[in-house]
Coordinates of all heavy atoms in Angstrom, one line a residue:
M969 N 0.8 -1.1 0.1 CA 0.0 -0.1 0.0 C 0.9 1.3 0.0 O 1.8 1.4 0.8 CB -0.8 0.0 1.3 CG -1.9 1.0 1.3 SD -3.0 0.8 2.8 CE -4.1 -0.5 2.1
R970 N 0.6 2.2 -0.8 CA 1.2 3.4 -0.9 C 0.7 4.4 0.2 O -0.5 4.8 0.1 CB 1.1 4.1 -2.4 CG 1.8 3.3 -3.3 CD 1.7 3.6 -4.7 NE 1.5 4.9 -5.0 CZ 2.5 5.8 -5.4 NH1 3.7 5.2 -5.5 NH2 2.4 6.9 -5.5
V971 N 1.6 5.0 1.0 CA 1.2 5.7 2.2 C 1.7 7.1 2.1 O 2.9 7.3 1.7 CB 1.6 5.1 3.4 CG1 1.2 5.9 4.7 CG2 0.9 3.6 3.7
A972 N 0.9 8.2 2.4 CA 1.3 9.5 2.7 C 1.3 9.8 4.2 O 0.2 9.4 4.9 CB 0.4 10.5 1.9
L973 N 2.3 10.3 4.8 CA 2.4 10.6 6.2 C 2.4 12.0 6.5 O 3.4 12.7 5.9 CB 3.7 9.9 6.8 CG 4.0 10.3 8.2 CD1 3.0 9.7 9.2 CD2 5.4 9.8 8.6
L974 N 1.5 12.5 7.2 CA 1.6 13.8 7.7 C 1.9 13.7 9.1 O 1.1 13.2 9.9 CB 0.1 14.6 7.6 CG 0.3 16.0 8.0 CD1 -0.5 16.9 7.0 CD2 -0.2 16.3 9.5
H975 N 3.1 14.3 9.5 CA 3.6 14.2 10.8 C 3.7 15.6 11.5 O 4.3 16.5 11.1 CB 5.0 13.7 10.7 CG 5.8 13.5 12.0 ND1 7.0 14.1 12.1 CD2 5.3 13.0 13.2 CE1 7.4 13.9 13.4 NE2 6.5 13.2 14.1
N976 N 3.0 15.7 12.6 CA 3.1 16.9 13.5 C 4.1 16.6 14.6 O 3.7 16.0 15.6 CB 1.6 17.3 14.1 CG 1.8 18.5 15.0 OD1 2.7 18.9 15.2 ND2 0.6 18.9 15.4
A977 N 5.3 17.0 14.4 CA 6.5 16.9 15.2 C 6.2 17.4 16.5 O 6.9 17.0 17.5 CB 7.8 17.2 14.6
S978 N 5.4 18.4 16.7 CA 5.1 19.1 17.9 C 4.0 18.5 18.8 O 3.7 19.1 19.9 CB 5.0 20.6 17.7 OG 3.8 20.9 17.0
A979 N 3.4 17.5 18.2 CA 2.2 17.0 19.0 C 2.7 16.2 20.4 O 3.7 15.5 20.3 CB 1.6 16.0 18.1
G980 N 1.9 16.3 21.3 CA 2.1 15.7 22.6 C 3.5 16.0 23.2 O 4.2 17.0 22.9
S981 N 4.0 15.1 24.1 CA 5.2 15.3 24.7 C 6.2 14.2 24.4 O 7.3 14.3 24.9 CB 5.0 15.4 26.4 OG 4.4 13.9 26.6
E982 N 5.8 13.3 23.6 CA 6.9 12.3 23.2 C 7.8 12.9 22.1 O 7.5 13.6 21.3 CB 6.1 11.1 22.6 CG 5.2 10.4 23.7 CD 6.0 9.7 24.8 OE1 6.9 9.2 24.7 OE2 5.5 9.9 26.0
D983 N 8.8 12.1 22.0 CA 9.9 12.4 20.9 C 9.7 11.4 19.8 O 9.9 10.1 20.0 CB 11.3 12.2 21.5 CG 12.4 12.6 20.5 OD1 12.0 13.3 19.5 OD2 13.5 12.0 20.6
H984 N 9.1 11.8 18.7 CA 8.7 11.0 17.6 C 9.2 11.6 16.4 O 8.7 12.5 15.9 CB 7.2 10.7 17.6 CG 6.4 11.9 17.9 ND1 6.0 12.8 16.9 CD2 5.7 12.2 19.0 CE1 5.3 13.7 17.4 NE2 5.1 13.4 18.6
A985 N 10.2 10.9 15.8 CA 10.9 11.4 14.5 C 10.1 10.8 13.4 O 9.5 9.7 13.4 CB 12.3 11.0 14.4
A986 N 10.0 11.5 12.2 CA 9.4 11.1 11.1 C 10.0 9.8 10.5 O 9.4 8.9 10.0 CB 9.4 12.3 10.0
T987 N 11.3 9.9 10.7 CA 12.2 8.6 10.1 C 11.7 7.4 10.9 O 11.6 6.2 10.3 CB 13.6 8.8 10.3 OG1 13.9 9.2 11.7 CG2 14.2 9.9 9.4
E988 N 11.5 7.4 12.2 CA 11.0 6.4 13.0 C 9.6 5.9 12.6 O 9.3 4.6 12.5 CB 11.0 6.6 14.5 CG 12.3 6.9 15.0 CD 12.4 7.5 16.4 OE1 11.3 7.7 16.9 OE2 13.4 7.5 17.0
L989 N 8.7 6.9 12.3 CA 7.2 6.6 11.9 C 7.4 5.9 10.6 O 6.6 5.0 10.3 CB 6.5 7.9 11.9 CG 6.4 8.5 13.3 CD1 5.6 9.9 13.1 CD2 5.5 7.6 14.2
C990 N 8.2 6.4 9.7 CA 8.3 5.8 8.3 C 8.8 4.3 8.4 O 8.3 3.4 7.7 CB 9.2 6.6 7.4 SG 8.6 8.1 6.8
A991 N 9.8 4.1 9.3 CA 10.2 2.8 9.5 C 9.1 1.8 10.0 O 9.1 0.7 9.6 CB 11.4 2.8 10.4
L992 N 8.4 2.3 10.9 CA 7.2 1.6 11.4 C 6.2 1.2 10.4 O 5.7 0.1 10.2 CB 6.5 2.4 12.5 CG 5.2 1.8 13.2 CD1 5.6 0.8 14.1 CD2 4.5 2.8 13.9
I993 N 5.9 2.1 9.5 CA 5.0 1.9 8.3 C 5.6 0.9 7.4 O 4.9 0.0 6.9 CB 4.6 3.2 7.7 CG1 3.8 4.1 8.6 CG2 3.9 3.0 6.4 CD1 3.7 5.7 8.1
R994 N 7.0 1.0 7.1 CA 7.7 0.0 6.1 C 7.6 -1.3 6.7 O 7.5 -2.3 6.1 CB 9.0 0.7 5.9 CG 8.9 1.9 5.0 CD 10.4 2.3 4.5 NE 10.3 3.4 3.7 CZ 10.6 4.7 4.1 NH1 11.1 4.8 5.4 NH2 10.5 5.7 3.4
R995 N 7.8 -1.4 8.1 CA 7.9 -2.8 8.7 C 6.5 -3.4 8.5 O 6.4 -4.7 8.6 CB 8.3 -2.6 10.2 CG 9.8 -2.4 10.3 CD 10.3 -2.8 11.8 NE 9.5 -1.9 12.9 CZ 9.9 -0.8 13.2 NH1 11.0 -0.2 12.7 NH2 9.2 -0.1 14.1
A996 N 5.5 -2.7 8.5 CA 4.2 -3.3 8.2 C 3.9 -3.6 6.9 O 2.7 -4.1 6.5 CB 3.1 -2.2 8.7
G997 N 4.9 -3.4 6.0 CA 4.8 -3.9 4.6 C 4.3 -2.8 3.6 O 4.0 -3.1 2.4
H998 N 4.3 -1.5 4.0 CA 3.8 -0.5 3.1 C 4.9 0.4 2.6 O 6.1 0.5 3.1 CB 2.9 0.4 3.9 CG 1.7 -0.4 4.5 ND1 0.8 -1.1 3.8 CD2 1.4 -0.7 5.8 CE1 -0.1 -1.8 4.6 NE2 0.3 -1.4 5.8
E999 N 4.7 1.2 1.5 CA 5.6 2.0 0.9 C 5.2 3.5 1.5 O 4.0 4.0 1.1 CB 5.6 2.0 -0.6 CG 6.5 2.8 -1.3 CD 6.3 2.8 -2.8 OE1 5.4 2.1 -3.4 OE2 7.0 3.5 -3.5
V1000 N 6.1 4.3 1.9 CA 5.9 5.7 2.2 C 6.4 6.4 1.0 O 7.5 6.5 0.6 CB 6.7 6.0 3.4 CG1 6.5 7.5 3.8 CG2 6.4 5.2 4.7
V1001 N 5.3 7.1 0.4 CA 5.6 7.9 -0.8 C 5.6 9.4 -0.6 O 6.2 10.1 -1.3 CB 4.4 7.5 -1.9 CG1 4.7 6.1 -2.4 CG2 3.1 7.9 -1.5
H1002 N 5.0 9.8 0.5 CA 5.1 11.3 0.9 C 5.2 11.4 2.5 O 4.6 10.7 3.2 CB 3.7 12.1 0.6 CG 3.3 11.9 -0.9 ND1 4.1 12.5 -1.9 CD2 2.4 11.4 -1.4 CE1 3.5 12.1 -3.1 NE2 2.4 11.6 -2.9
V1003 N 6.0 12.3 2.8 CA 6.2 12.6 4.3 C 6.3 14.2 4.3 O 7.0 14.9 3.7 CB 7.5 12.2 4.9 CG1 7.6 12.6 6.5 CG2 7.7 10.6 4.8
V1004 N 5.1 14.8 5.0 CA 4.9 16.1 5.0 C 4.6 16.6 6.4 O 4.1 15.8 7.3 CB 3.8 16.7 4.0 CG1 4.2 16.3 2.6 CG2 2.4 16.1 4.4
Q1005 N 4.7 17.8 6.6 CA 4.4 18.5 8.0 C 3.2 19.4 7.9 O 2.6 19.7 9.0 CB 5.6 19.1 8.7 CG 6.6 18.2 9.0 CD 7.7 18.7 9.7 OE1 7.9 19.9 9.6 NE2 8.5 18.0 10.4
R1006 N 2.8 19.8 6.9 CA 1.7 20.8 6.7 C 0.7 20.3 5.8 O 0.8 19.6 4.8 CB 2.3 22.1 6.1 CG 3.3 22.8 7.1 CD 3.7 24.1 6.5 NE 4.4 23.9 5.1 CZ 5.1 24.8 4.5 NH1 5.5 25.9 5.1 NH2 5.6 24.5 3.3
I1007 N -0.6 20.6 6.1 CA -1.7 20.2 5.2 C -1.7 20.5 3.9 O -2.0 19.8 3.0 CB -3.0 20.7 6.0 CG1 -3.2 20.0 7.3 CG2 -4.2 20.3 5.0 CD1 -4.4 20.5 8.2
R1008 N -1.3 21.8 3.7 CA -1.2 22.2 2.3 C -0.1 21.5 1.4 O -0.3 21.2 0.3 CB -1.0 23.8 2.0 CG 0.3 24.1 2.5 CD 0.6 25.6 2.1 NE 1.9 26.2 2.7 CZ 2.1 27.1 3.6 NH1 1.0 27.7 4.0 NH2 3.2 27.4 3.8
D1009 N 0.9 21.1 2.1 CA 1.9 20.2 1.2 C 1.4 18.8 1.2 O 1.5 18.1 0.2 CB 3.1 20.1 2.3 CG 3.9 21.4 2.2 OD1 3.5 22.3 1.5 OD2 4.7 21.5 3.3
L1010 N 0.6 18.3 2.0 CA -0.2 17.0 1.8 C -1.1 17.1 0.7 O -1.0 16.2 -0.3 CB -0.9 16.6 3.0 CG -1.8 15.4 3.0 CD1 -0.9 14.1 2.7 CD2 -2.7 15.2 4.1
T1011 N -1.9 18.0 0.6 CA -2.9 18.0 -0.7 C -2.1 18.2 -2.0 O -2.5 17.6 -2.9 CB -4.0 19.2 -0.4 OG1 -3.3 20.4 -0.3 CG2 -4.9 18.9 0.6
A1012 N -1.0 19.0 -1.9 CA -0.1 19.2 -3.1 C 0.5 17.8 -3.5 O 0.5 17.5 -4.6 CB 0.9 20.2 -2.9
A1013 N 0.9 17.2 -2.5 CA 1.6 15.8 -2.7 C 0.5 14.8 -3.3 O 0.8 14.1 -4.2 CB 2.2 15.3 -1.5
L1014 N -0.6 14.8 -2.8 CA -1.7 14.0 -3.2 C -2.1 14.2 -4.7 O -2.4 13.3 -5.5 CB -2.9 13.9 -2.3 CG -2.6 13.3 -0.9 CD1 -3.9 13.6 0.0 CD2 -2.1 11.9 -1.1
H1015 N -2.1 15.5 -5.0 CA -2.4 15.9 -6.4 C -1.2 15.4 -7.3 O -1.5 14.9 -8.4 CB -2.6 17.4 -6.5 CG -3.9 17.9 -6.2 ND1 -5.1 17.6 -6.8 CD2 -4.2 18.7 -5.2 CE1 -6.0 18.2 -6.3 NE2 -5.6 18.9 -5.2
A1016 N 0.1 15.5 -6.9 CA 1.1 15.0 -7.8 C 1.3 13.6 -7.9 O 1.6 13.2 -8.9 CB 2.4 15.6 -7.1
A1017 N 1.0 12.9 -6.8 CA 1.1 11.4 -6.8 C 0.0 10.9 -5.8 O 0.4 10.8 -4.7 CB 2.5 11.0 -6.5
P1018 N -1.0 10.4 -6.3 CA -1.9 9.8 -5.3 C -1.5 8.6 -4.5 O -0.6 8.0 -5.0 CB -3.0 9.4 -6.3 CG -3.0 10.2 -7.5 CD -1.5 10.4 -7.6
C1019 N -2.1 8.4 -3.5 CA -1.7 7.1 -2.6 C -2.9 6.4 -2.3 O -4.1 6.8 -2.6 CB -0.8 7.7 -1.4 SG -1.9 8.6 -0.3
D1020 N -2.7 5.3 -1.5 CA -3.7 4.4 -1.1 C -4.3 4.8 0.3 O -5.3 4.3 0.7 CB -3.3 2.9 -1.0 CG -2.8 2.6 -2.4 OD1 -3.5 2.8 -3.4 OD2 -1.6 2.1 -2.4
L1021 N -3.5 5.4 1.1 CA -3.8 5.8 2.5 C -3.0 7.0 3.0 O -1.8 7.1 2.6 CB -3.3 4.5 3.4 CG -3.5 4.6 4.9 CD1 -5.0 4.5 5.2 CD2 -2.8 3.5 5.7
V1022 N -3.7 7.8 3.7 CA -3.1 8.9 4.5 C -3.0 8.6 5.9 O -4.0 8.2 6.5 CB -3.9 10.2 4.3 CG1 -3.4 11.3 5.1 CG2 -3.8 10.6 2.8
V1023 N -1.8 8.6 6.5 CA -1.6 8.5 7.9 C -1.3 9.9 8.5 O -0.4 10.6 8.2 CB -0.5 7.5 8.2 CG1 -0.2 7.3 9.8 CG2 -0.8 6.2 7.7
V1024 N -2.0 10.2 9.6 CA -1.9 11.4 10.3 C -1.2 11.0 11.7 O -2.0 10.4 12.5 CB -3.3 12.2 10.5 CG1 -2.9 13.5 11.2 CG2 -3.9 12.4 9.2
A1025 N -0.2 11.5 11.9 CA 0.6 11.3 13.1 C 0.6 12.7 13.9 O 1.3 13.6 13.5 CB 2.0 10.9 12.9
G1026 N -0.3 12.7 14.8 CA -0.4 14.0 15.7 C -1.6 13.9 16.6 O -2.1 12.8 17.0
G1027 N -2.0 15.1 17.1 CA -3.0 15.1 18.1 C -4.5 15.4 17.5 O -4.7 15.5 16.2
D1028 N -5.4 15.7 18.2 CA -6.8 15.9 18.0 C -6.8 17.1 16.8 O -7.5 17.1 15.9 CB -7.8 16.2 19.0 CG -7.9 15.1 19.9 OD1 -7.7 13.8 19.4 OD2 -8.3 15.3 21.2
G1029 N -6.1 18.1 17.1 CA -6.2 19.3 16.2 C -5.7 18.9 14.9 O -6.4 19.3 13.9
T1030 N -4.5 18.4 14.8 CA -4.1 17.9 13.5 C -4.9 17.0 12.7 O -5.4 17.0 11.6 CB -2.7 17.3 13.7 OG1 -1.8 18.2 14.4 CG2 -2.1 16.9 12.3
V1031 N -5.5 15.9 13.5 CA -6.3 15.0 12.9 C -7.7 15.6 12.4 O -8.1 15.4 11.2 CB -6.7 13.8 13.9 CG1 -7.8 13.0 13.4 CG2 -5.5 13.0 14.2
G1032 N -8.2 16.6 13.1 CA -9.4 17.2 12.9 C -9.2 18.0 11.4 O -10.1 18.1 10.6
K1033 N -8.1 18.9 11.5 CA -7.8 19.7 10.4 C -7.7 18.9 9.0 O -8.1 19.1 8.0 CB -6.6 20.5 10.6 CG -7.0 21.7 11.6 CD -5.8 22.4 12.0 CE -6.0 23.3 13.0 NZ -4.7 24.1 13.6
V1034 N -7.0 17.8 9.2 CA -6.7 16.9 8.0 C -7.9 16.2 7.6 O -8.1 16.1 6.4 CB -5.5 16.0 8.2 CG1 -5.5 14.9 7.2 CG2 -4.2 16.5 8.5
A1035 N -8.7 15.7 8.5 CA -10.0 15.1 8.1 C -10.9 16.1 7.3 O -11.6 15.7 6.4 CB -10.7 14.6 9.4
C1036 N -11.0 17.3 7.8 CA -11.8 18.4 7.1 C -11.2 18.6 5.7 O -12.0 18.7 4.7 CB -11.9 19.6 8.0 SG -12.9 19.4 9.5
E1037 N -9.9 18.8 5.7 CA -9.3 19.1 4.3 C -9.5 18.1 3.3 O -9.6 18.2 2.1 CB -7.8 19.5 4.6 CG -7.0 19.7 3.3 CD -7.6 21.2 2.9 OE1 -7.9 22.1 3.7 OE2 -7.5 21.5 1.7
L1038 N -9.5 16.7 3.8 CA -9.5 15.6 3.0 C -11.0 15.0 2.6 O -11.2 14.2 2.0 CB -8.8 14.4 3.4 CG -7.1 14.7 3.4 CD1 -6.4 13.5 3.8 CD2 -6.7 15.2 2.0
S1039 N -12.0 15.9 3.2 CA -13.4 15.3 3.1 C -13.7 15.6 1.6 O -13.2 16.6 0.9 CB -14.3 16.3 3.8 OG -14.4 17.6 3.4
G1040 N -14.2 14.6 1.0 CA -14.6 14.6 -0.5 C -13.4 13.8 -1.3 O -13.7 13.4 -2.4
W1041 N -12.3 13.6 -0.6 CA -11.2 12.8 -1.4 C -11.6 11.4 -1.2 O -12.1 11.0 -0.1 CB -9.9 13.1 -0.7 CG -9.3 14.4 -1.0 CD1 -9.7 15.7 -0.6 CD2 -8.0 14.7 -1.6 NE1 -8.9 16.6 -1.1 CE2 -8.0 16.2 -1.8 CE3 -7.1 13.9 -2.3 CZ2 -6.8 16.7 -2.4 CZ3 -6.2 14.6 -2.9 CH2 -6.0 15.9 -3.0
H1042 N -11.1 10.5 -2.0 CA -11.5 9.1 -1.9 C -10.2 8.4 -1.5 O -9.6 7.6 -2.2 CB -12.0 8.6 -3.3 CG -13.3 9.3 -3.6 ND1 -14.5 9.0 -3.0 CD2 -13.6 10.2 -4.5 CE1 -15.5 9.7 -3.4 NE2 -15.0 10.5 -4.4
V1043 N -9.7 8.8 -0.4 CA -8.5 8.0 0.2 C -8.7 7.8 1.7 O -9.2 8.8 2.3 CB -7.1 8.9 0.0 CG1 -7.3 10.3 0.6 CG2 -6.0 8.2 0.5
P1044 N -8.5 6.7 2.2 CA -8.8 6.4 3.6 C -7.7 7.2 4.5 O -6.7 7.5 4.1 CB -8.5 4.9 3.8 CG -8.3 4.3 2.5 CD -8.2 5.5 1.5
L1045 N -8.1 7.5 5.7 CA -7.4 8.1 6.7 C -7.2 7.3 7.9 O -8.0 6.7 8.4 CB -8.0 9.4 7.0 CG -7.5 10.3 8.1 CD1 -6.2 11.0 7.5 CD2 -8.4 11.3 8.7
S1046 N -5.8 7.1 8.2 CA -5.6 6.3 9.5 C -4.8 7.4 10.5 O -4.1 8.3 10.2 CB -4.6 5.2 9.2 OG -4.3 4.4 10.2
I1047 N -5.0 7.1 11.8 CA -4.5 8.0 12.8 C -3.5 7.3 13.6 O -3.7 6.1 14.2 CB -5.7 8.4 13.6 CG1 -6.7 9.2 12.9 CG2 -5.1 9.3 14.8 CD1 -8.0 9.3 13.8
L1048 N -2.3 7.9 13.8 CA -1.3 7.6 14.9 C -1.5 8.7 15.9 O -0.9 9.7 15.7 CB 0.1 7.6 14.2 CG 0.5 6.4 13.4 CD1 2.0 6.6 12.8 CD2 0.5 5.1 14.1
A1049 N -2.2 8.3 16.9 CA -2.5 9.3 18.0 C -1.1 9.6 18.8 O -0.8 8.8 19.6 CB -3.6 8.8 18.8
L1050 N -0.7 10.8 18.5 CA 0.6 11.3 19.2 C 0.3 12.5 20.2 O 1.3 12.9 20.7 CB 1.7 11.6 18.2 CG 2.1 10.3 17.4 CD1 3.1 10.7 16.3 CD2 2.6 9.2 18.3
G1051 N -0.8 12.9 20.4 CA -1.2 14.1 21.1 C -1.1 13.9 22.5 O -0.9 12.8 23.0
T1052 N -1.4 14.9 23.4 CA -1.3 14.8 24.8 C -2.8 14.0 25.2 O -2.5 13.0 26.1 CB -1.5 16.2 25.4 OG1 -0.3 16.9 24.9 CG2 -1.4 16.1 26.9
A1053 N -3.8 14.3 24.8 CA -5.0 13.6 25.4 C -5.6 12.8 24.3 O -6.2 11.7 24.7 CB -6.0 14.6 25.8
N1054 N -5.7 13.1 23.0 CA -6.3 12.4 21.9 C -7.8 12.1 22.3 O -8.2 11.0 22.3 CB -5.5 11.1 21.6 CG -4.3 11.6 21.0 OD1 -4.2 12.4 20.0 ND2 -3.1 10.9 21.5
N1055 N -8.6 13.1 22.8 CA -9.9 12.9 23.0 C -10.8 12.4 21.9 O -11.7 11.7 22.0 CB -10.6 14.2 23.6 CG -9.9 14.5 24.8 OD1 -9.6 13.6 25.7 ND2 -9.7 15.8 25.1
T1056 N -10.5 12.8 20.7 CA -11.3 12.5 19.5 C -10.4 11.5 18.7 O -11.0 10.6 18.1 CB -11.7 13.7 18.6 OG1 -10.6 14.3 18.2 CG2 -12.7 14.4 19.4
A1057 N -9.2 11.6 18.6 CA -8.4 10.8 17.8 C -8.3 9.4 18.4 O -8.2 8.3 17.7 CB -6.9 11.3 17.6

């Protein structure tokens, strides 16, 4: 599966590097085709090269914004909950 990763490095209090998250996704047998930190970069990347799954690594705010931005897109969204509380994620 071709995966786009949106990584909010400032989410929560844990130290989570994009390289570690990519390695985790690859170990699960997937190909990481995009790694971005901003929503506008995600949509630009998806226009340039579509993928099979978008993974959002962040907290509730990041997840909510990405979900709203991708409404109407036909790509599934998966959450790596890295925020402090993750009440909705």
Side-chain angles (χ1 to χ4, degrees):
M969 184 172 289
R970 295 170 38 91
V971 175
L973 171 65
L974 184 135
H975 176 231
N976 179 355
S978 64
S981 59
E982 297 294 320
D983 182 26
H984 41 82
T987 54
E988 294 170 354
L989 298 175
C990 288
L992 176 72
I993 293 167
R994 288 185 185 107
R995 280 195 306 270
H998 307 294
E999 174 188 6
V1000 179
V1001 294
H1002 305 294
V1003 179
V1004 297
Q1005 292 185 340
R1006 297 182 304 196
I1007 294 172
R1008 70 173 176 238
D1009 294 337
L1010 174 63
T1011 55
L1014 293 176
H1015 279 296
C1019 65
D1020 304 308
L1021 176 70
V1022 171
V1023 174
V1024 181
D1028 291 338
T1030 303
V1031 171
K1033 289 174 186 175
V1034 172
C1036 287
E1037 184 67 29
L1038 294 183
S1039 66
W1041 288 67
H1042 297 286
V1043 59
L1045 179 74
S1046 182
I1047 301 167
L1048 283 175
L1050 300 177
T1052 303
N1054 293 312
N1055 295 323
T1056 57

